[in-house]
Amino acid sequence: MKIVTAKQAYLKTSIPDFSVGDTVKVHQKIKEGDKERIQIFEGLVIARKGGSGISATFMVRKIASGVGVERIYPLHSPNIAKIEVSKKGIVKQAKIYYVRKKADSQPRFRKKKR
């Protein structure tokens, strides 16, 4: 019983509701020497894995200088300061890895109606 409650202590409660196809800004804490700063990584969520537990992760992809960059973030990591949802998108698949092959053109997704 103590193990379950210890894991629940690490779960974040201030995670916004986002899914695959959304454009998000991930505010990540970067430690350089004795200083700490926030770096923002904005991109398209192409996958979410692990459900809602402590091992949940999400993959974000963006194009930087013509090269695709992907990062995998643990959802409940203490190094993530904040997650902001910029745009909501509608996709028909749970994982949109096919976006990698569309390097020439930016993929277009329908926006969610409010």
Side-chain angles (χ1 to χ4, degrees), residues 41 60-71 99-100 103:
F41 188 85
V60 182
R61 178 181 174 86
K62 77 171 184 179
I63 306 295
S65 302
V67 179
V69 179
E70 292 182 2
R71 287 192 184 168
V99 172
R100 295 173 179 161

mmCIF file of all heavy atoms in Angstrom, residues 41 60-71 99-100 103:
data_model
loop_
_atom_site.group_PDB
_atom_site.id
_atom_site.type_symbol
_atom_site.label_atom_id
_atom_site.label_comp_id
_atom_site.label_asym_id
_atom_site.label_seq_id
_atom_site.Cartn_x
_atom_site.Cartn_y
_atom_site.Cartn_z
ATOM 1 N N PHE A 41 9.642 24.526 -25.971
ATOM 2 C CA PHE A 41 9.674 23.678 -27.164
ATOM 3 C C PHE A 41 8.240 23.590 -27.673
ATOM 4 O O PHE A 41 7.371 23.025 -27.004
ATOM 5 C CB PHE A 41 10.211 22.286 -26.806
ATOM 6 C CG PHE A 41 10.461 21.399 -27.989
ATOM 7 C CD1 PHE A 41 11.648 21.474 -28.677
ATOM 8 C CD2 PHE A 41 9.508 20.483 -28.399
ATOM 9 C CE1 PHE A 41 11.886 20.650 -29.766
ATOM 10 C CE2 PHE A 41 9.737 19.653 -29.483
ATOM 11 C CZ PHE A 41 10.931 19.738 -30.165
ATOM 12 N N VAL A 60 6.616 15.078 -28.985
ATOM 13 C CA VAL A 60 6.364 16.347 -29.663
ATOM 14 C C VAL A 60 7.346 16.484 -30.814
ATOM 15 O O VAL A 60 8.526 16.183 -30.665
ATOM 16 C CB VAL A 60 6.510 17.533 -28.677
ATOM 17 C CG1 VAL A 60 6.200 18.840 -29.364
ATOM 18 C CG2 VAL A 60 5.620 17.348 -27.472
ATOM 19 N N ARG A 61 6.845 16.941 -31.969
ATOM 20 C CA ARG A 61 7.679 17.095 -33.157
ATOM 21 C C ARG A 61 7.556 18.515 -33.684
ATOM 22 O O ARG A 61 6.476 19.083 -33.724
ATOM 23 C CB ARG A 61 7.221 16.124 -34.247
ATOM 24 C CG ARG A 61 8.005 16.243 -35.532
ATOM 25 C CD ARG A 61 7.486 15.273 -36.580
ATOM 26 N NE ARG A 61 8.132 15.484 -37.855
ATOM 27 C CZ ARG A 61 9.282 14.941 -38.230
ATOM 28 N NH1 ARG A 61 9.916 14.154 -37.403
ATOM 29 N NH2 ARG A 61 9.801 15.185 -39.416
ATOM 30 N N LYS A 62 8.700 19.084 -34.085
ATOM 31 C CA LYS A 62 8.705 20.385 -34.746
ATOM 32 C C LYS A 62 9.773 20.379 -35.828
ATOM 33 O O LYS A 62 10.656 19.519 -35.849
ATOM 34 C CB LYS A 62 8.962 21.516 -33.751
ATOM 35 C CG LYS A 62 10.392 21.679 -33.306
ATOM 36 C CD LYS A 62 10.543 22.951 -32.506
ATOM 37 C CE LYS A 62 11.983 23.189 -32.124
ATOM 38 N NZ LYS A 62 12.138 24.436 -31.376
ATOM 39 N N ILE A 63 9.676 21.347 -36.732
ATOM 40 C CA ILE A 63 10.664 21.504 -37.797
ATOM 41 C C ILE A 63 11.564 22.668 -37.411
ATOM 42 O O ILE A 63 11.095 23.784 -37.226
ATOM 43 C CB ILE A 63 9.983 21.787 -39.151
ATOM 44 C CG1 ILE A 63 8.950 20.715 -39.482
ATOM 45 C CG2 ILE A 63 11.011 21.913 -40.252
ATOM 46 C CD1 ILE A 63 9.520 19.340 -39.710
ATOM 47 N N ALA A 64 12.861 22.418 -37.276
ATOM 48 C CA ALA A 64 13.834 23.452 -36.921
ATOM 49 C C ALA A 64 14.912 23.487 -37.999
ATOM 50 O O ALA A 64 15.630 22.500 -38.194
ATOM 51 C CB ALA A 64 14.456 23.167 -35.566
ATOM 52 N N SER A 65 15.006 24.594 -38.706
ATOM 53 C CA SER A 65 15.985 24.792 -39.782
ATOM 54 C C SER A 65 15.856 23.725 -40.866
ATOM 55 O O SER A 65 16.855 23.230 -41.381
ATOM 56 C CB SER A 65 17.403 24.799 -39.223
ATOM 57 O OG SER A 65 17.549 25.814 -38.260
ATOM 58 N N GLY A 66 14.635 23.322 -41.160
ATOM 59 C CA GLY A 66 14.394 22.342 -42.208
ATOM 60 C C GLY A 66 14.601 20.901 -41.780
ATOM 61 O O GLY A 66 14.498 19.999 -42.597
ATOM 62 N N VAL A 67 14.903 20.675 -40.509
ATOM 63 C CA VAL A 67 15.137 19.333 -39.995
ATOM 64 C C VAL A 67 14.091 19.037 -38.932
ATOM 65 O O VAL A 67 13.820 19.866 -38.066
ATOM 66 C CB VAL A 67 16.556 19.211 -39.379
ATOM 67 C CG1 VAL A 67 16.784 17.829 -38.814
ATOM 68 C CG2 VAL A 67 17.604 19.556 -40.400
ATOM 69 N N GLY A 68 13.502 17.855 -38.995
ATOM 70 C CA GLY A 68 12.513 17.467 -38.000
ATOM 71 C C GLY A 68 13.171 17.096 -36.689
ATOM 72 O O GLY A 68 14.136 16.335 -36.653
ATOM 73 N N VAL A 69 12.660 17.652 -35.594
ATOM 74 C CA VAL A 69 13.183 17.376 -34.249
ATOM 75 C C VAL A 69 12.050 16.801 -33.419
ATOM 76 O O VAL A 69 10.968 17.379 -33.361
ATOM 77 C CB VAL A 69 13.716 18.670 -33.592
ATOM 78 C CG1 VAL A 69 14.221 18.380 -32.193
ATOM 79 C CG2 VAL A 69 14.799 19.290 -34.435
ATOM 80 N N GLU A 70 12.301 15.653 -32.791
ATOM 81 C CA GLU A 70 11.295 15.028 -31.932
ATOM 82 C C GLU A 70 11.850 14.876 -30.534
ATOM 83 O O GLU A 70 13.023 14.540 -30.349
ATOM 84 C CB GLU A 70 10.916 13.644 -32.464
ATOM 85 C CG GLU A 70 10.179 13.671 -33.763
ATOM 86 C CD GLU A 70 9.790 12.284 -34.234
ATOM 87 O OE1 GLU A 70 10.064 11.298 -33.521
ATOM 88 O OE2 GLU A 70 9.203 12.183 -35.315
ATOM 89 N N ARG A 71 11.000 15.115 -29.559
ATOM 90 C CA ARG A 71 11.378 14.925 -28.159
ATOM 91 C C ARG A 71 10.289 14.136 -27.458
ATOM 92 O O ARG A 71 9.106 14.342 -27.716
ATOM 93 C CB ARG A 71 11.565 16.257 -27.449
ATOM 94 C CG ARG A 71 12.816 16.974 -27.842
ATOM 95 C CD ARG A 71 13.077 18.113 -26.913
ATOM 96 N NE ARG A 71 14.243 18.864 -27.357
ATOM 97 C CZ ARG A 71 14.586 20.035 -26.875
ATOM 98 N NH1 ARG A 71 13.859 20.612 -25.938
ATOM 99 N NH2 ARG A 71 15.653 20.657 -27.327
ATOM 100 N N VAL A 99 3.376 11.779 -40.104
ATOM 101 C CA VAL A 99 3.785 13.176 -40.234
ATOM 102 C C VAL A 99 5.279 13.260 -40.559
ATOM 103 O O VAL A 99 5.727 14.191 -41.216
ATOM 104 C CB VAL A 99 3.457 13.939 -38.931
ATOM 105 C CG1 VAL A 99 4.033 15.337 -38.940
ATOM 106 C CG2 VAL A 99 1.959 13.995 -38.741
ATOM 107 N N ARG A 100 6.041 12.271 -40.153
ATOM 108 C CA ARG A 100 7.483 12.255 -40.424
ATOM 109 C C ARG A 100 7.766 12.228 -41.931
ATOM 110 O O ARG A 100 8.725 12.830 -42.398
ATOM 111 C CB ARG A 100 8.124 11.024 -39.790
ATOM 112 C CG ARG A 100 8.070 11.013 -38.300
ATOM 113 C CD ARG A 100 8.562 9.697 -37.775
ATOM 114 N NE ARG A 100 8.537 9.669 -36.323
ATOM 115 C CZ ARG A 100 8.555 8.565 -35.609
ATOM 116 N NH1 ARG A 100 8.597 7.390 -36.205
ATOM 117 N NH2 ARG A 100 8.532 8.621 -34.298
ATOM 118 N N ALA A 103 7.668 15.690 -44.668
ATOM 119 C CA ALA A 103 8.670 16.695 -44.303
ATOM 120 C C ALA A 103 8.611 17.913 -45.215
ATOM 121 O O ALA A 103 8.931 19.025 -44.801
ATOM 122 C CB ALA A 103 10.066 16.084 -44.344
#
